[in-house]
Amino acid sequence: MKKILLFIVMMGICSFTHASSSKKVAFLSSYSDLAALQASGDDDEAAAAKWLVNTYGGTFLSTASVTSIDVLDDYDAIWVAIDRVGLQQGSANLPSEYTELFDILKDYSKNGGNLLLTNHATSIVAGIGRTTRQPGIFGNGAGAENVDKWGMNVIIGSGSQPYYADHRTHEFFDGIAFEEGISGTHCEVLPFLASGYKEDHNCMWDLNSFGYTVAVGSNTVAMYEQEADCEVLGTWQHVGDFCCAGMVDFHAQENGYGRIVCVGVAAYEWHQNVESNPYQANIEKMTENILNELTKTDDGGAATLVPAVESPAFSVLVDDNTVRVESNAAYANFTLYAIDGRMMGRYTSDEMKNGVELPCNGCYIMQAVTLSGKTETTKFIK
């Protein structure tokens, strides 16, 4: 009975704490202000910044004003969008206004700050040391006419059954309609660009280039997720295997980096040079969802943690300082969260069956991923 009451009290405290905080997001730009960006900057960066300020309600923040981490600490999340013709590959080749802030951005992230890095800015995640892997699939051309619709495939391993992971129900894609029959695809994909002019600015990870020795039953996506403590959420629309990662969610780490979401697929183009892009709303909605998650609020202001289910097929057993899972079902992996959403660790099915050490008392969330990519979640008290 005491444990039940403790759980209810702690849940109430957590909900109250998050509900009392406000969403604060800044768009970090090398231009002095929004007007200067719109007048002289890249059209995609300008469109993204205008939406963030005028529609989402965020703040425009010039890199010149960021003289210390104190400036960034005013914000729950920082969005960096860099999308430029002729830019050279690699984090070191980003405009100096950004590279000069790598140490501050790293400190901000390690202080619990969250980052959204889009287009060429995805390489910042390597520049600040969150991963050693630079994005190896890169485009910087002026663009050309293209008759196809472009989008993103969020079913990882869609060319085989069972899927490795199906992210169509992920909170980042809530409220967005997937489509079938888009050129080159064999499953539902998330459409972003219509037929017409496209810049084709990829900045994403070539997983096949990492030289992994892939065990039977595994794949390069799973190996990179384990190596970098992340989750690959999307790839090119036509990809059915595990060759590349276009959207990656780098998990927040206890006593480490905050959460970092990277979107590097070329289809994520904020201002397509056509009369009207019917899929612009998808780009905006996904970005809104990501920022809402990074600021840890939903529409009602309460904490958004891990999606809950009513009847998980596993049980969490606590014995002194050891926590283990008991189940007759098969799972790909288990992820342990603190009640405030911080990830405590990711474990294989065998590790959780044998038990892992959890010395601190409190409320926890256990999320399991089935072999078909579905999630099951439960809460428990130690």
Side-chain angles (χ1 to χ4, degrees):
M1 183 64 178
K2 289 182 179 179
K3 285 190 175 183
I4 295 175
L5 291 174
L6 174 64
F7 180 80
I8 293 172
V9 170
M10 290 189 69
M11 285 292 288
I13 292 173
C14 291
S15 297
F16 175 79
T17 300
H18 287 287
S20 63
S21 64
S22 60
K23 285 191 302 187
K24 296 189 68 176
V25 180
F27 186 97
L28 184 63
S29 172
S30 59
Y31 287 82
S32 59
D33 53 37
L34 180 56
L37 172 57
Q38 290 182 302
S40 306
D42 176 84
D43 62 317
D44 296 294
E45 293 179 27
K50 181 180 178 181
W51 175 87
L52 188 280
V53 172
N54 294 336
T55 302
Y56 189 80
T59 301
F60 187 95
L61 186 65
S62 172
T63 53
S65 69
V66 183
T67 55
S68 72
I69 187 178
D70 294 337
V71 178
L72 299 185
D73 275 344
D74 287 338
Y75 301 96
D76 300 314
I78 305 294
W79 180 12
V80 187
I82 306 173
D83 191 348
R84 304 190 184 181
V85 173
L87 189 68
Q88 296 303 299
Q89 184 175 352
S91 58
N93 293 317
L94 291 172
S96 60
E97 295 92 340
Y98 298 98
T99 60
E100 290 168 357
L101 294 183
F102 278 0
D103 287 343
I104 292 178
L105 286 170
K106 180 177 181 177
D107 289 343
Y108 167 77
S109 180
K110 287 208 161 189
N111 200 36
N114 300 306
L115 296 171
L116 171 59
L117 307 175
T118 61
N119 309 103
H120 293 142
T122 60
S123 61
I124 290 176
V125 76
I128 64 174
R130 177 59 177 82
T131 176
T132 61
R133 310 287 192 179
Q134 292 275 356
I137 300 173
F138 187 83
N140 62 1
E145 289 288 333
N146 178 275
V147 298
D148 297 327
K149 297 177 184 178
W150 282 8
M152 185 169 66
N153 183 5
V154 303
I155 304 175
I156 309 302
S158 61
S160 58
Q161 292 283 351
Y163 301 145
Y164 171 67
D166 184 349
H167 297 299
R168 284 176 292 182
T169 59
H170 194 283
E171 55 266 28
F172 287 171
F173 313 124
D174 185 45
I176 305 177
F178 288 80
E179 287 191 11
E180 293 183 350
I182 293 180
S183 177
T185 64
H186 49 270
C187 64
E188 281 192 331
V189 300
L190 182 57
F192 285 146
L193 296 181
S195 174
Y197 200 91
K198 302 178 179 69
E199 291 184 346
D200 199 17
H201 288 176
N202 289 293
C203 192
M204 48 192 280
W205 282 265
D206 179 3
L207 303 181
N208 284 343
S209 70
F210 296 167
Y212 291 133
T213 300
V214 181
V216 176
S218 187
N219 58 72
T220 53
V221 168
M223 298 191 74
Y224 185 60
E225 288 179 333
Q226 182 175 8
E227 173 189 292
D229 185 16
C230 67
E231 189 170 26
V232 175
L233 298 178
T235 184
W236 280 326
Q237 65 186 44
H238 59 277
V239 169
D241 59 15
F242 311 101
C243 69
C244 47
M247 181 175 182
V248 183
D249 184 0
F250 292 89
H251 298 138
Q253 300 173 315
E254 188 178 15
N255 301 320
Y257 291 86
R259 192 174 183 182
I260 304 175
V261 178
C262 294
V263 185
V265 289
Y268 183 83
E269 184 177 337
W270 260 88
H271 181 250
Q272 187 183 9
N273 297 310
V274 296
E275 182 175 340
S276 177
N277 174 19
Y279 300 113
Q280 179 67 28
N282 290 351
I283 293 174
E284 295 176 6
K285 182 60 177 175
M286 186 181 80
T287 307
E288 176 188 357
N289 290 342
I290 294 170
L291 293 175
N292 284 346
E293 289 298 316
L294 291 182
T295 54
K296 292 182 170 58
T297 62
D298 57 20
D299 291 338
T304 301
L305 300 173
V306 188
V309 296
E310 295 181 356
S311 302
F314 64 89
S315 300
V316 177
L317 305 179
V318 181
D319 183 14
D320 293 329
N321 289 336
T322 301
V323 175
R324 65 184 180 87
V325 165
E326 188 175 77
S327 175
N328 293 324
Y331 293 94
N333 58 65
F334 291 86
T335 306
L336 180 65
Y337 296 89
I339 195 65
D340 62 1
R342 290 177 297 114
M343 192 180 80
M344 310 296 291
R346 175 170 288 181
Y347 308 97
T348 66
S349 182
D350 286 342
E351 285 175 327
M352 285 311 308
K353 286 181 180 178
N354 293 329
V356 298
E357 186 176 0
L358 187 61
C360 298
N361 294 329
C363 299
Y364 295 92
I365 301 167
M366 182 71 76
Q367 182 183 68
V369 178
T370 68
L371 296 181
S372 64
K374 301 296 183 181
T375 59
E376 297 178 3
T377 306
T378 193
K379 300 180 180 71
F380 69 94
I381 298 173
K382 177 187 175 299

